Amino acid sequence: MHLTDRRPEIGADELITALVPPPRFDAVRFSTYVPNPDEPSQAAAVTACSEFAGRIGGGAPKKRFKLFGGGSATPSGPMGLYLDGGFGVGKTHLLASTWHAAPSPKAYGTFVELTHLVGALGFTEAVRRLAEHKILAIDEFELDDPGDTMLVTRLLKELTNAGVYVAATSNTLPDKLGEGRFAAEDFLREIQSLSQRFSVVRVDGPDYRHRGLPDPPPPVDDATLEASAEQHEGSSIDDFDKLVDHLASLHPSKYGRLVDGVSMVHLRGVHAAPDQNVGLRLVAFADRLYDRAIPVLSSGEPLSNLFTEEMMQGGYRKKYLRAVSRLTALARDASTAKA
């Protein structure tokens, strides 16, 4: 199977019904989160998220949706919860647990999926449909594009005005989003107004994916790569450069569908991303592989070399570090499967 032969399409109605946690986080709950005893903020975050989810079912009835100024709901606390911390501290686990604990109807998606939803349905229709939910959980809240910043800020204002609770994760505090990427005062004002809608919960700690684990496995040769692809049913195998070109032809919101049903991904001839655009697409691709717990076996350069030193020192540093962390975990899974 070649991922480059796949061209997934997602209908507008399916975009709404697909707003649920990915397979890796389908069964997580607060009870399955194991706080690091050396990091008290982790146990505190479990309590904060649980209390937030518990508030959603109570209080006054939700306000009926009215676009452009429906008034603000008056819950016992902020309408938004923001989980801030480094990569690998379990923020997505906590976000998904919050979603599972909250009453239905509810929606869960990545920031990229949310912006794609608005593009597919139109702003008014997207707000109307999302306003029917009691909570919207947004993972990987990012500001890669100034237009997306303004769009999502406006969207969340309308949803919280309509009585929808919002929980989100990112690697940066709400009032610091965009730092190191944009300098426009207009966007900073938008970000500041959005940050006021959230209570911020800090989650500290080292990357749990690599605590006490050995170094990542080295790449394999091409013959071993091809033998593994033949051995594991449902595997895909692609030349890295061809896959990079294919990813450029798809909206990132379709990357999950691209790898649905794939048991193991094999990449031939991995090397450093040639530019920032390719790097960010690979970050989104790595996130979707991790969501679905799909092992990754590769030849060429180590996956840890996927992003150049210049990229790792730039404004998207945290994204690239998260991607390397997740790909390293998936490479370990592949090494175990190969054995």
Side-chain angles (χ1 to χ4, degrees):
M1 182 195 312
H2 302 292
L3 297 179
T4 51
D5 292 335
R6 291 182 159 196
R7 185 158 292 278
E9 295 296 335
I10 307 174
D13 288 337
E14 190 178 0
L15 288 171
I16 293 290
T17 59
L19 290 176
V20 296
R24 180 183 288 272
F25 299 101
D26 183 53
V28 301
R29 299 294 188 273
F30 292 128
S31 61
T32 63
Y33 183 88
V34 182
N36 186 334
D38 296 327
E39 301 291 345
S41 66
Q42 294 188 6
V46 173
T47 299
C49 290
S50 179
E51 291 176 350
F52 179 79
R55 290 209 319 266
I56 295 173
K62 235 181 63 167
K63 290 183 177 291
R64 192 172 177 179
F65 165 64
K66 181 181 178 183
L67 190 61
F68 306 127
S72 297
T74 55
S76 57
M79 298 293 292
L81 177 73
Y82 197 100
L83 292 168
D84 174 75
F87 52 89
V89 294
K91 298 189 305 297
T92 300
H93 186 138
L94 290 170
L95 180 72
S97 298
T98 302
W99 185 90
H100 285 300
S104 297
K106 49 193 176 181
Y108 180 110
T110 64
F111 183 84
V112 169
E113 289 169 335
L114 192 61
T115 56
H116 183 54
L117 174 71
V118 175
L121 298 180
F123 184 83
T124 302
E125 181 63 10
V127 175
R128 187 187 71 80
R129 293 204 186 195
L130 290 173
E132 296 172 353
H133 298 81
K134 294 186 177 181
I135 180 175
L136 170 64
I138 309 171
D139 199 17
E140 302 161 16
F141 200 108
E142 303 288 358
L143 297 177
D144 298 338
D145 180 274
D148 287 346
T149 304
M150 298 177 69
L151 176 70
V152 174
T153 299
R154 180 181 167 213
L155 177 70
L156 295 187
K157 285 179 181 177
E158 296 298 335
L159 292 177
T160 52
N161 283 344
V164 179
Y165 286 77
V166 177
T169 72
S170 181
N171 297 124
T172 323
L173 289 170
D175 61 353
K176 299 296 183 184
L177 284 174
E179 188 176 7
R181 303 181 194 177
F182 314 114
E185 291 296 324
D186 289 345
F187 300 126
L188 292 176
R189 281 195 295 270
E190 289 295 323
I191 293 163
Q192 289 287 349
S193 66
L194 173 62
S195 70
Q196 295 170 7
R197 305 253 171 165
F198 291 88
S199 62
V200 177
V201 174
R202 180 75 189 178
V203 190
D204 295 308
D207 185 350
Y208 79 91
R209 284 184 283 267
H210 308 303
R211 279 203 307 263
L213 293 176
D215 292 335
V220 299
D221 56 49
D222 287 346
T224 302
L225 190 79
E226 291 166 9
S228 174
E230 291 179 3
Q231 177 186 351
H232 294 92
E233 185 177 354
S235 290
S236 68
I237 184 167
D238 291 271
D239 290 328
F240 179 73
D241 285 332
K242 290 183 179 178
L243 179 62
V244 164
D245 290 341
H246 189 56
L247 293 177
S249 72
L250 299 173
H251 190 280
S253 64
K254 298 180 180 179
Y255 290 178
R257 180 59 57 85
L258 179 68
V259 296
D260 274 348
V262 176
S263 64
M264 189 170 175
V265 164
H266 297 76
L267 298 177
R268 186 190 294 112
V270 168
H271 59 80
D275 58 54
Q276 197 92 265
N277 289 330
V278 172
L280 292 173
R281 291 187 197 108
L282 290 172
V283 168
F285 183 64
D287 286 339
R288 302 294 75 78
L289 291 174
Y290 185 77
D291 285 346
R292 288 155 177 78
I294 300 173
V296 176
L297 191 66
S298 62
S299 68
E301 294 185 37
L303 291 170
S304 57
N305 293 353
L306 201 53
F307 310 108
T308 66
E309 184 64 25
E310 183 181 4
M311 291 179 182
M312 296 295 274
Q313 297 304 319
Y316 299 105
R317 169 181 169 80
K318 291 181 180 179
K319 277 191 168 186
Y320 295 137
L321 288 171
R322 183 186 72 216
V324 169
S325 169
R326 290 182 165 185
L327 286 171
T328 298
L330 296 177
R332 286 200 187 99
D333 293 343
S335 181
T336 302
K338 180 170 64 71

